[in-house]
Structure formats: C-alpha cells, structure tokens
Amino acid sequence: MKNILVTGGAGFIGSAFVRYMVEKYPEYNIIVYDKLTYAGNMDNLLPVSDEPNYRFEQGDIADRETVRRVFNAHQIDTVVNFAAESHVDRSILAPDAFIHTDVVGVYILLDESRQHGVGRFLQVSTDEVYGDIESGFSKEDDPFLPNSPYAASKAGGELMVRSFHVTHGMDTVITRGSNTFGPYQYPEKIIPFFTTEAIDDRPLPVYGDGMQVRDWLYVDDHARGIEVALMKGVSGEAYNIAGEDQRHNIEVTKRLLSLLDKPDTLIKYVPDREGHDRRYAMNCDKLRALGWERQYTFETAIEATIRWYQTNEWWWRKIKTGEYLEFYKKQYEARLAAAE
Ligand code: NAD
Ligand code: DAU
C-alpha cells in the first residue's frame, strides 16, 4: 500500500478516515476523489489541506475517463470507497442519484481498479443491507433484505464487489457500519439536524412514535474499524462495524435537548418515514477478532459532539441555505403541518 484513493473522502465518515490516515501514516499518499455533491465539503478536509501526503481530485466515481486519469496520475494501488448518496429520506424522494453512484459508480470504480491492477479494494457499506431486525443481531452471512431505495442501492453495490472478487479474483473487503455520529456530519441526519435545529429553537420532527432503534457508533471508531478491515481483513470477506449501543430515537432526541438545555416541547411527532425500519443491530465479533474495539459509547461521545456543533456554527450555518432549504421544505413542511 502506497497510494490510497479515498473516494467520497470529502463527506462525513470519509473525511474522518482521511484526517486519521494522513496523520497516522505519513509514508502513504492519501488521494481524495470526490464529486462534491451537496454532501461533499472541502471544509471537512481543512485540517489536512497542507499535509504533504494528502491530495484532492474532484470527480464522479461513475465518470470512467476521470477515474482513469486519476488512477494513472497517482499510481493508485489501494481504493477505499466511501462515495455514496447516503440519506434514506432523499432516496425516497429521488432515487436516481442512488442508482447512479451506489450501483453504477461502484461498478465503474471496480472495473477501473481491476484494469489498473489495484491491490485491495475496500467498499464501505451499511447495516441497512440486512433490513429491519426485530430481535437479535445481524451477522455477516445473513441474507440481504433492504427496505429503502438507499439500502437497496448499497446492497447492489456490495453485490458488484462480491462478483468482482469471485469472477476476477480481485482483493476486496466490505465493511458494514452502524449509525454513525460525530463532528462534520451533514445536518440532514438525525443528530446534527436535531442539534442545529434545537440551537435555533426550531421544532424537531420525530418520525412516527420515535421508538425505532438505531445502533450508535462514534465516527472515529468507524474510521478505525475501516482501517483494521483494510489492513487485516481477509479478501472476499465482509465485516460488521457496530457501536453495540442501541437506543430509541426518542431517547437520543431527549438527550440532545437536555445537553443543549432546551425544552422537550420542541419535539413534534410527525407522520412516519415510508418503509421505516424499526430496528438495526449487528454482531461485530468478526471485526473484534481482527483486533478492533470501540473506544467510545454514545454517552461518552455525545456531549463532545453537541459541543462541537455549538462551537462550530461557521461550519453548519452556511450549509443550511439554498438546496438544503429546498430539501427541508419537501421533507418536513407538510409533515410538520400534520404534527400531533
Ligand atoms: P456523506 O453523504 O456525508 O458523504 C458522501 C460523500 O460522497 C460526499 O463527499 C459526496 O460528495 C461524495 N459523493 C457522492 N456521490 C459521489 C460520486 N458519484 N462520485 C464521487 N463522490 C461522490 O456520507 P457518509 O455519512 O460519510 O457515508 C459514507 C459512506 O458510509 C457511505 O457509503 C454510506 O453508505 C456509508 N455509511 C454511512 C453511515 C452513517 O451513519 N452516516 C453508516 C454506515 C455506512
Ligand atoms: O444504519 C446506518 C445508516 O444510518 C447509514 O447507512 C445511512 O447512510 C445513514 O443515513 C443512517 O441512516 P438512518 O436512516 O438510520 O439515519 P437518519 O439520521 O436519517 O435517521 C435516524 C433515525 O431517526 C431513523 O429511525 C429516522 C429517525 N429520524 C430521522 C430524521 C432525519 C426522525 O425521526 N426524524 C428526522 O427528521
């Protein structure tokens, strides 16, 4: 491993991985390749922008010509693919971009990786491919039962990765992370969305009864889990990365409000997300056996996360304009009008 291409490295988890890897491995060149969609943000990479082992290239993973140029220019030997459309609600409103990036884009990146003799290809995936799990814990060889267009597109991307391993003998590894939180997360996902809305005393639209369960993983633990899978994972295998810290959405919402010293009256129960998965939970013994252990829990990391949004308004206020407001209107206006 010398020249690592990190696709989608200007997003939330990808940028945390880049910030971590650039510092930890000065002997590796980390090349970020990102389309800079609404979710891509160069501010996320400011902490490494002057580092000699970091480079940035703008482009779409589904654009074969540009991908090819970047592979040649940087002699890429390793790929870590974070690039995705990642928000479930947007996949319900407009799924096209999800198929483009999460399926076609993954295929093109794989195909170019193969043609350029890339060694390891790591695909960052999600617990959502398993679908809703009423009780127990999803394991790596459980069947895929994705329920949203987002989850289905991620499952499609994973299956392409598997096929390139089996058919072409490519050295691939897949990680499936659980719900991730921390600084620099685009304020459409529940924790940064509710935190920044509550700071402005605006309503928090809790879907349905708020009793859905998500398994919370701190972003730095997710980044280290990907590092461990990249370095030690067995070719052709998938690894769950779980926070092992499941909480009801309403509990998460009330904890945010108490840390912000804001009243529960900001909570509005709104009509549910269509096809809303009730619970995710994963077993992550397989990654643990490679030496990974989480370092944070929801409780140990949530306060610092909230404080980060409180002290970094410069980062999120400029995001909450333009396209963001159009999305907000489509997603929430009617829901909030129908709130109980
Ligand atoms: P994000 O939406 O914050 O970032 C996605 C990044 O990909 C952005 O920088 C965007 O510009 C880039 N991108 C999108 N389409 C692209 C394209 N066609 N070509 C190149 N770049 C493109 O996402 P995130 O929350 O950081 O998630 C990163 C990855 O982790 C995704 O693959 C997601 O499915 C997966 N994941 C996320 C979570 C979570 O809780 N956020 C949990 C498990 C897995
Ligand atoms: O589980 C991993 C997945 O976690 C990742 O693959 C996705 O990329 C990531 O977006 C996340 O998906 P979720 O749909 O679980 O995350 P989100 O933050 O959108 O929602 C978390 C829970 O909160 C979910 O049950 C829906 C609920 N919710 C969310 C929003 C945005 C609300 O009740 N109100 C809201 O306004």
Side-chain angles (χ1 to χ4, degrees), residues 113-336:
S113 297
R114 182 173 73 89
Q115 291 182 35
H116 285 84
V118 160
R120 177 143 282 196
F121 184 107
L122 187 143
Q123 169 70 3
V124 178
S125 192
T126 170
D127 59 3
E128 302 210 9
V129 297
Y130 298 118
D132 209 4
I133 166 158
E134 204 181 312
S135 59
F137 302 90
S138 302
K139 294 188 77 168
E140 284 82 353
D141 48 8
D142 284 355
F144 284 2
L145 291 169
N147 290 318
S148 69
Y150 162 69
S153 71
K154 291 297 291 185
E158 275 206 36
L159 292 174
M160 285 311 304
V161 174
R162 176 188 155 83
S163 78
F164 271 64
H165 172 75
V166 175
T167 305
H168 301 297
M170 264 182 77
D171 175 5
T172 63
V173 170
I174 292 169
T175 58
R176 299 185 187 129
S178 67
N179 274 71
T180 305
F181 70 106
Y184 301 101
Q185 185 170 28
Y186 192 86
E188 64 190 353
K189 310 284 163 53
I190 189 170
I191 289 180
F193 175 47
F194 281 8
T195 302
T196 55
E197 291 292 274
I199 288 171
D200 286 344
D201 300 302
R202 289 166 52 82
L204 308 188
V206 170
Y207 296 155
D209 61 4
M211 291 303 285
Q212 304 82 6
V213 173
R214 294 294 182 268
D215 178 8
W216 289 102
L217 172 67
Y218 189 60
V219 66
D220 291 358
D221 280 337
H222 195 158
R224 280 190 313 101
I226 291 167
E227 176 205 20
V228 170
L230 181 68
M231 305 289 177
K232 299 187 187 166
V234 174
S235 185
E237 295 293 314
Y239 295 88
N240 292 341
I241 311 179
E244 296 185 313
D245 202 343
Q246 296 112 35
R247 289 167 193 260
H248 293 110
N249 290 341
I250 193 65
E251 180 195 347
V252 169
T253 307
K254 288 188 174 171
R255 187 76 188 106
L256 304 184
L257 286 169
S258 79
L259 285 166
L260 289 162
D261 203 17
K262 297 284 182 179
D264 284 2
T265 49
L266 288 180
I267 294 171
K268 302 291 169 213
Y269 289 94
V270 302
D272 210 348
R273 173 185 278 176
E274 299 83 349
H276 198 172
D277 283 335
R278 198 77 182 155
R279 176 176 178 269
Y280 302 134
M282 289 188 295
N283 172 298
C284 78
D285 291 347
K286 193 171 167 184
L287 186 65
R288 195 172 287 118
L290 296 185
W292 177 85
E293 201 59 67
R294 70 164 187 201
Q295 290 178 355
Y296 301 88
T297 61
F298 177 78
E299 207 37 57
T300 58
I302 192 63
E303 184 162 0
T305 300
I306 301 301
R307 301 294 168 238
W308 189 87
Y309 289 97
Q310 281 181 310
T311 50
N312 288 281
E313 294 195 8
W314 70 272
W315 182 85
W316 57 265
R317 283 217 184 269
K318 61 185 170 192
I319 295 174
K320 289 185 134 190
T321 56
E323 191 276 342
Y324 179 92
L325 296 179
E326 278 166 40
F327 167 72
Y328 179 93
K329 202 169 160 192
K330 276 190 236 153
Q331 183 61 25
Y332 295 109
E333 216 169 63
R335 276 197 162 85
L336 280 166

Side-chain angles (χ1 to χ4, degrees), residues 18-26 30 48 51 53-54:
V18 169
R19 294 189 302 270
Y20 173 70
M21 295 291 283
V22 163
E23 191 186 338
K24 181 162 177 190
Y25 298 102
I30 308 291
V48 291
E51 296 301 329
N53 61 334
Y54 158 81

